[in-house]
Amino acid sequence: MRALGLIAALAAAAASAQGARLAMHPLELREMPAAQREIVQAQFDVMLARIRDIRLAGSTAVEEALLKPAGKGCETRDECLRFFAESTESVYGVYARLRPDPLGAHLLIRARVVRSDGVVMRNVSLATPIEDDVELTETARELLAQMLDELELDTLSATVTLEPVAQPNPPPPFAQPIVFAPSPRRPAGFALLGIGAVTLAAGGVCAGAAVSGRSQLTPDRDGAVPLSQANRALEVAREGQAATVLLPVGAVIAAVGSALAWWPVDTPIAVSVLAASDRAGLQVGGRLP
C-alpha cells in the first residue's frame, strides 16, 4: 500500500509542471450545413488553443485512432473514448456534439470526458434558445464557451491517480465451533489442504507478476513513472494487493486442512475460525493422542 501511494505521488510530482494530455474527438456537427460546420469548428479550435494547462493529441494520431473499429461510436460508448485516449497516448478522451433540437427552437450540446482507465470524469448537457436575429454560428460559439467552462479541462489531473482497491469485508465470526466427525474428517482435511495450496499458489503467482511488472517500469531519476506506463503501474499495484490477501488466506486454509488430515481419527477435534475486521484467527481444540 505504501508503494502504491509512492508511485502516485511521484507520478503527480513529475507531471505537475505539465497540463493534462487530451484526445479531442472532432466536434460533431452533422445537422449543420457545411459552411456553418467549418465556421463553428474553427471557433472551437481557437477556444481550445486558448485553454492553458492542457495538451492536445496530434491530429495524425487522432485520425488513425478514429479509423480503427474500436474508435467508432464514441458518442454513446465510454469504451470508445477510453480507446481513443489510450491509442493517442493521452490521459483523457473528449467527445462533444452540437445540434439543433427537432423543432429548431433550441441549440443543444452534450459533452463527455472519459479517462484512459474508463472512468467518466465529466458529463455535460446544455441548451440555449435559437433567436431569429442572431447568427446560428454566434449562438453556437456562446454555447461552446459555456460547455468548456462546465468541463473545466484545465483542472483535470495530468496523471491517472492510483487509488487503493477496497478490500471486501470479512465474514462475521462463527458463533459455534465447527466439529468434524471422525469418519469424514480426513477427506475434508485433504480437500481444505488442496484449496489452501491452490490459494497460496495463486497468491505466489500474483506476487511474482507484481515483482516482474514492477521491474519493467522505467521511472525517471525522480522516481516518476512515464504516462505510457500508468496503466501498467495500476496493474502492478492490484497484483500486489491480491497477493497480500491470497497468501495469508491460503496459509490459514492449509493449516486447517493439515490439522484435520493428520490429527488421529480416533481423537475428536474441534476447529474454530475467527474472522473480524481487524484480525483473523484459527483455534484447534481436542484431546491430545
Side-chain angles (χ1 to χ4, degrees), residues 107 128-131 134-144:
L107 196 60
T128 190
I130 297 177
E131 300 178 6
V134 178
E135 289 288 341
L136 185 62
T137 54
E138 179 62 22
T139 304
R141 186 189 65 80
E142 294 177 357
L143 191 58
L144 285 170

Side-chain angles (χ1 to χ4, degrees), residues 269-284:
I269 179 176
V271 179
S272 297
V273 179
L274 173 66
S277 60
D278 56 345
R279 64 187 184 282
L282 170 69
Q283 182 176 356
V284 180

Side-chain angles (χ1 to χ4, degrees), residues 201-286:
V205 170
C206 289
V211 172
S212 175
R214 191 174 290 110
S215 67
Q216 295 174 8
L217 298 176
T218 56
D220 58 21
R221 61 182 182 181
D222 296 325
V225 177
L227 180 60
S228 60
Q229 297 180 356
N231 288 337
R232 182 54 187 158
L234 181 59
E235 292 177 5
V236 168
R238 288 175 175 169
E239 289 165 353
Q241 289 179 339
T244 61
V245 173
L246 292 175
L247 290 174
V249 170
V252 170
I253 295 175
V256 174
S258 300
L260 296 176
W262 284 299
W263 197 277
V265 225
D266 56 347
T267 304
I269 179 176
V271 179
S272 297
V273 179
L274 173 66
S277 60
D278 56 345
R279 64 187 184 282
L282 170 69
Q283 182 176 356
V284 180

Side-chain angles (χ1 to χ4, degrees), residues 83-240:
F83 166 80
F84 190 44
E86 289 179 335
S87 60
T88 57
E89 297 185 352
S90 302
V91 185
Y92 306 94
V94 186
Y95 178 92
R97 180 184 179 187
L98 180 69
R99 64 182 179 88
D101 68 2
L103 299 178
H106 291 81
L107 196 60
L108 312 176
I109 192 166
R110 294 192 62 184
R112 199 166 78 263
V113 179
V114 176
R115 202 166 62 183
S116 59
D117 59 353
V119 177
V120 179
M121 303 298 296
R122 304 281 194 274
N123 198 340
V124 173
S125 297
L126 300 171
T128 190
I130 297 177
E131 300 178 6
D132 295 336
D133 56 344
V134 178
E135 289 288 341
L136 185 62
T137 54
E138 179 62 22
T139 304
R141 186 189 65 80
E142 294 177 357
L143 191 58
L144 285 170
Q146 186 180 353
M147 177 203 71
L148 290 176
D149 288 341
E150 294 283 340
L151 291 179
E152 296 182 324
L153 299 179
D154 55 340
T155 65
L156 292 170
S157 173
T159 59
V160 177
T161 303
L162 306 180
E163 299 178 354
V165 179
Q167 300 296 329
N169 293 327
F174 290 104
Q176 299 294 332
I178 304 173
V179 180
F180 294 88
S183 53
R185 196 175 71 204
R186 281 190 171 170
F190 284 117
L192 286 176
L193 184 59
I195 294 173
V198 171
T199 305
L200 282 170
V205 170
C206 289
V211 172
S212 175
R214 191 174 290 110
S215 67
Q216 295 174 8
L217 298 176
T218 56
D220 58 21
R221 61 182 182 181
D222 296 325
V225 177
L227 180 60
S228 60
Q229 297 180 356
N231 288 337
R232 182 54 187 158
L234 181 59
E235 292 177 5
V236 168
R238 288 175 175 169
E239 289 165 353

